[in-house]
Amino acid sequence: MAKHGKKYLQALAKIDPSRVYEPKQALELIKEISYANFDATVEVHMRTGLDPRQADQQVRDVVVLPHGLGKTVRVLVFAQGDGANLAQQAGADYVADTDEWIQKIQGGWTDFDVAIATPDMMGKVGRLGRILGPRGLMPNPKAGTVVPAEDLPRVIKESKAGRVEFRLDKSANLHVPIGKVSFDVEKLYENLSALMEAIRKARPAAAKGVYIRRVTITPTMGPGVRIDPNVALSLTVK
């Protein structure tokens, strides 16, 4: 069994294991206990009461965090013709409008964070599923990353501003970043509120019983802090 290091144990000692914290208290504590020598990411982990084997109990959606994620987001757009021009003008980092781009990605190049596509390009993009799928980069209509050309400027802007996709994994969990440890508590709180409001609205109609069983906030390096799932689900964006 792996042993935790001295810094982790020191951080853990500051958390009351019998306590479920209020969201702002938890965020203040996360800033205090993060011991990474870089600007760590603050993540939210949720245990749901859903059955991921059931098609009508899936959760997959996107949320635009009001204060972004604190990092530069590289956007690649699969488009051609007018769509390619719109993507370029909207600030896309890469515009994949030729077969050479498809071949480059088939060769293993994935130096981007978000991939967006117009519907007419999905025939070609579909060939990249084995490369992009495992990395969570495959454009998908449900995630709002397959859009008509005229919507490209909006989606590119949202992606660079802090558009985050969340989806249920095979263990019925959700894992979503909400910013950096360097963020003010208020900014992290507002990002958390936006996420939880989106999670609440994304509840499947077929879900029965308790929707969110457990919510934990954690830094990239450091122990997690539990918050009340009912309080978390009641958060709304002001």
Side-chain angles (χ1 to χ4, degrees):
M1 184 175 177
K3 292 183 178 179
H4 289 299
K6 181 179 178 182
K7 290 183 178 179
Y8 181 95
L9 294 175
Q10 287 174 340
L12 186 64
K14 296 179 180 180
I15 302 170
D16 182 349
S18 64
R19 183 177 172 187
V20 178
Y21 290 80
E22 292 293 319
K24 279 192 179 179
Q25 293 174 331
L27 292 168
E28 289 169 353
L29 194 50
I30 287 297
K31 288 173 64 67
E32 182 183 342
I33 65 175
S34 176
Y35 55 82
N37 57 6
F38 56 88
D39 193 5
T41 297
V42 179
E43 302 167 358
V44 181
H45 304 280
M46 283 167 269
R47 178 72 176 171
T48 76
L50 302 171
D51 184 350
R53 297 169 298 179
Q54 304 300 319
D56 59 359
Q57 292 191 37
Q58 297 302 308
V59 172
R60 182 172 188 174
D61 209 335
V62 294
V63 58
V64 179
L65 301 177
H67 302 288
L69 286 171
K71 69 173 186 177
T72 300
V73 178
R74 299 164 298 173
V75 177
L76 179 141
V77 177
F78 295 98
Q80 54 192 0
D82 291 342
N85 293 331
L86 281 171
Q88 198 78 53
Q89 293 166 12
D93 298 276
Y94 310 103
V95 179
D97 57 351
T98 63
D99 288 342
E100 284 76 12
W101 277 99
I102 303 297
Q103 293 166 7
K104 183 177 181 179
I105 295 169
Q106 283 178 324
W109 180 81
T110 56
D111 290 341
F112 50 93
D113 305 297
V114 176
I116 303 165
T118 52
D120 60 317
M121 289 292 286
M122 286 306 292
K124 293 181 178 180
V125 177
R127 306 203 302 261
L128 303 174
R130 298 172 75 178
I131 302 291
L132 302 181
R135 294 172 173 80
L137 294 172
M138 189 69 182
N140 187 292
K142 291 182 179 179
T145 46
V146 177
V147 297
E150 58 267 26
D151 286 347
L152 286 174
R154 173 184 60 81
V155 179
I156 292 168
K157 181 180 179 181
E158 289 179 353
S159 297
K160 287 183 168 290
R163 189 175 194 267
V164 178
E165 178 184 0
F166 56 87
R167 63 185 299 183
L168 195 70
D169 68 14
K170 294 179 180 178
S171 301
N173 297 318
L174 293 162
H175 310 279
V176 194
I178 59 166
K180 296 291 185 180
V181 167
S182 61
F183 282 21
D184 293 340
V185 168
E186 199 61 37
K187 288 184 177 181
L188 287 171
Y189 180 76
E190 289 174 7
N191 278 359
L192 174 64
S193 298
L195 169 64
M196 297 312 302
E197 184 174 308
I199 296 286
R200 185 173 69 251
K201 292 177 179 177
R203 175 174 179 149
K208 296 180 176 64
V210 179
Y211 177 31
I212 302 296
R213 296 181 180 275
R214 186 183 180 111
V215 181
T216 304
I217 303 177
T218 178
T220 303
M221 295 175 65
V225 179
R226 288 180 60 198
I227 65 174
D228 188 320
N230 293 321
V231 172
L233 272 179
S234 69
L235 296 175
T236 57
V237 180
K238 294 182 180 178

